[in-house]
């Protein structure tokens, strides 16, 4: 059936390592979301701000590593790994789950 | 303005489809105390809030709710993937199937469609924040009810995550209500609406 050809170029990253890295990214990003909501109502908690900056730096490094190896998580990273094809449309959608 | 990140807030990887559970969990997508109502509630209410931190917490929680909406849709999608016609009929999923096949559409478990009357945007920050606190508790109760019915750990884990977020959001909205009252006349917090009347400062 013709429509299946649309997925011919789809990227299915090396599953285990890719998933492990994505899991670490999710953990760090969750810590940041939770800290953000806390800081929204505790504006002068310097210790919480230090935690935020610490996690944010680690998260940025992990996201860069992920982008280089498995493709962009955000469209702004599409140019980061020097590909000749528009990877944004080819990496898995988040709801695909176990492929 | 929003940006999309191509990942879920919490991983969802369900290997056993189950149309019966999908029908139950669908409620947290569509109504009455679901994630669609939550995100639209906070993201609509924030404009009537003259206090920046309170508008900020509404924006940030409303944004997180959009990520939760995606998680709930993913759970329903994975629970209904690859179902046979026999499984659909046996689970009583045929009434949904006839209108939506296996697409995601916002409705309550009982079939009532999403309706903006499920939430309020009253243009009064105290009224809105009290509704928000109640909404978080109502969603928490729904997740508790889901967890009593669902035993598959692959489904329960993301549901437990969503349930815990309701508690954190309840706490933050409570703090936002305290911050709001600190800016109003403590003799009578309700004598004016800071989103409409002038000279509300204490």
């Amino acid at each position: 059936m013709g429509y299946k050809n649309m997925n011919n170029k789809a990227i299915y990253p090396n599953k285990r390592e890719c998933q492990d890295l994505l899991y670490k990214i999710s953990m760090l990003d969750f810590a940041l979301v939770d800290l953000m909501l806390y800081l929204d109502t505790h504006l002068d908690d310097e210790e919480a701000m230090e935690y935020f900056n610490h996690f944010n730096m680690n998260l940025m490094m992990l996201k860069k590593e992920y982008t280089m190896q498995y493709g962009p998580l955000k469209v702004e990273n599409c140019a980061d790994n020097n590909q000749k094809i528009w990877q944004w449309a080819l990496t898995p959608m988040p709801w695909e789950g176990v492929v | 303005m929003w940006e999309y990140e191509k990942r879920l807030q919490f991983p969802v990887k369900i290997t056993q489809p189950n149309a019966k559970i999908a029908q139950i969990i669908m409620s947290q997508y569509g109504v009455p105390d679901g994630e669609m109502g939550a995100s639209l509630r906070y993201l609509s209410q924030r404009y009537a809030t003259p206090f920046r931190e309170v508008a900020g917490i509404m924006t940030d929680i409303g944004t997180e709710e959009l990520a939760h909406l995606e998680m709930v849709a993913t759970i329903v999608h994975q629970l209904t993937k690859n179902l046979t016609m026999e499984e659909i009929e046996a689970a009583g999923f045929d009434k949904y199937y006839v209108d939506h096949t296996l697409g995601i559409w916002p409705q309550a478990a009982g079939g009532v469609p999403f309706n903006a009357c499920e939430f309020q945007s009253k243009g009064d920050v105290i009224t809105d924040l009290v509704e928000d606190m109640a909404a978080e508790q109502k969603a928490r109760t729904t997740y508790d009810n889901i967890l009593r019915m669902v035993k598959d750990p692959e489904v329960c884990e993301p549901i437990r995550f969503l349930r815990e977020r309701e508690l954190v959001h309840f706490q933050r909205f409570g703090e936002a209500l305290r911050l709001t009252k600190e800016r109003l006349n403590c003799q009578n917090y309700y004598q004016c609406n800071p989103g409409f009347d002038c000279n509300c400062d204490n």
Side-chain angles (χ1 to χ4, degrees):
Chain A
M1 286 197 284
Y3 73 90
K4 284 191 175 165
N5 293 334
M6 277 176 65
N7 276 336
N8 269 356
K9 287 174 181 157
I11 295 166
Y12 295 104
N14 182 340
K15 245 172 58 186
R16 186 58 190 270
E17 286 149 32
C18 170
Q19 291 307 311
D20 286 351
L21 189 51
L22 195 59
Y23 195 72
K24 278 186 202 156
I25 288 172
S26 299
M27 276 199 297
L28 277 179
D29 185 79
F30 173 61
L32 284 175
V33 167
D34 206 36
L35 276 166
M36 169 182 68
L37 297 187
Y38 172 83
L39 280 162
D40 281 350
T41 55
H42 302 79
L43 308 183
D44 55 3
D45 190 328
E46 288 180 33
E47 200 183 346
M49 273 188 276
E50 273 174 37
Y51 272 119
F52 187 94
N53 293 334
H54 170 73
F55 287 133
N56 199 23
M57 272 191 356
N58 287 334
L59 179 63
M60 284 192 297
M61 285 193 302
L62 286 186
K63 279 188 175 171
K64 197 167 179 185
E65 190 187 331
Y66 186 95
T67 301
M68 298 305 281
Q69 294 191 42
Y70 307 115
L73 285 171
K74 291 181 81 171
V75 72
E76 68 193 26
N77 303 121
C78 275
D80 289 1
N81 58 356
N82 299 315
Q83 295 291 320
K84 301 274 181 249
I85 190 160
W86 186 243
Q87 288 197 313
W88 182 240
L90 298 173
T91 49
M93 293 311 290
W95 53 84
E96 290 178 20
V98 183
V99 181
Chain B
M1 215 285 281
W2 272 270
E3 290 182 350
Y4 188 66
E5 192 157 320
K6 233 174 164 180
R7 62 176 184 84
L8 296 178
Q9 194 189 12
F10 185 94
V12 178
K13 289 196 175 67
I14 297 164
T15 48
Q16 296 299 313
N18 186 326
K20 215 172 171 101
I21 297 175
Q23 270 180 108
I24 293 167
I25 289 176
M26 192 179 285
S27 249
Q28 279 304 85
Y29 189 79
V31 270
D33 304 308
E35 304 292 354
M36 181 168 289
S39 53
L40 292 178
R41 177 185 296 111
Y42 312 142
L43 294 176
S44 301
Q45 288 175 348
R46 63 198 177 124
Y47 302 95
T49 307
F51 312 123
R52 271 193 195 159
E53 306 103 289
V54 180
I57 197 90
M58 285 176 174
T59 304
D60 290 339
I61 293 180
T63 301
E64 191 182 345
E65 304 292 6
L66 291 173
H68 295 175
L69 186 67
E70 189 182 38
M71 278 179 65
V72 175
T74 297
I75 293 172
V76 174
H77 170 67
Q78 293 182 5
L79 280 171
T80 54
K81 212 160 71 174
N82 303 324
L83 284 176
T84 65
M85 208 55 241
E86 290 72 27
E87 288 169 327
I88 287 170
E89 284 175 2
F93 201 64
D94 46 350
K95 291 173 204 70
Y96 182 89
Y97 170 87
V98 71
D99 287 328
H100 312 291
T101 323
L102 298 180
I104 299 291
W105 190 71
Q107 68 161 46
V112 180
F114 180 76
N115 183 326
C117 296
E118 302 293 342
F119 69 87
Q120 191 36 304
S121 175
K122 198 72 176 174
D124 179 310
V125 63
I126 290 183
T127 311
D128 285 345
L129 283 170
V130 172
E131 159 154 338
D132 299 348
M133 293 173 72
E136 295 294 333
Q137 288 298 340
K138 286 188 276 184
R140 194 265 306 157
T141 303
T142 306
Y143 283 127
D144 279 336
N145 292 343
I146 288 172
L147 286 168
R148 286 192 194 96
M149 290 186 275
V150 178
K151 296 296 164 225
D152 180 354
E154 291 175 341
V155 180
C156 289
E157 267 187 54
I159 294 291
R160 272 195 210 101
F161 171 84
L162 292 169
R163 177 192 175 277
E164 282 173 28
R165 297 311 290 157
E166 309 298 339
L167 301 178
V168 173
H169 294 174
F170 174 76
Q171 171 73 20
R172 299 292 166 244
F173 280 130
E175 289 159 358
L177 184 60
R178 174 174 53 75
L179 290 170
T180 297
K181 287 183 171 174
E182 281 169 8
R183 285 166 177 72
L184 298 174
N185 183 347
C186 64
Q187 300 294 314
N188 182 359
Y189 294 125
Y190 314 109
Q191 73 174 13
C192 73
N193 172 2
F196 187 76
D197 302 306
C198 304
N199 308 318
C200 274
D201 302 342
N202 64 7

